[in-house]
Amino acid sequence: TPVVWGMLQELTAANLRGRVFTIFSSGAMLASMVGMLAFGWSADALGPEVSLVGMAAVLAGTGLVAMLLRQHEARLRVGAVT
């Protein structure tokens, strides 16, 4: 997203910016390819309805993990300040 790209540009040292953007783009492309491959296989093996529910569960799980990690990071930051 544009917000992430902007943050990457601001937070990355100028001499490393190209490498960071390349790794970030490659990771995003790899994740989308793996997702398409997994959905195609599961849709063929299990059916499209089950596959959609499974992918929704994976997305919800990823969001939950991200939320928990963010809360943990916030607790660590508060502990470091005191």
Side-chain angles (χ1 to χ4, degrees):
T1 64
V3 173
V4 175
W5 286 101
M7 286 178 57
L8 277 176
Q9 191 170 5
E10 288 180 8
L11 297 174
T12 305
N15 61 333
L16 297 175
R17 203 167 288 145
R19 293 176 185 165
V20 169
F21 274 83
T22 299
I23 290 171
F24 186 79
S25 298
S26 297
M29 202 55 117
L30 176 66
S32 67
M33 294 297 136
V34 169
M36 285 187 265
L37 180 65
F39 182 77
W41 173 83
S42 65
D44 283 343
L46 306 171
E49 295 86 6
V50 174
S51 299
L52 285 172
V53 170
M55 292 295 169
V58 168
L59 181 61
T62 303
L64 179 64
V65 168
M67 184 181 70
L68 292 173
L69 286 173
R70 185 174 177 153
Q71 289 175 350
H72 180 68
E73 178 191 11
R75 274 191 238 118
L76 289 176
R77 237 187 270 143
V78 169
V81 170
T82 59

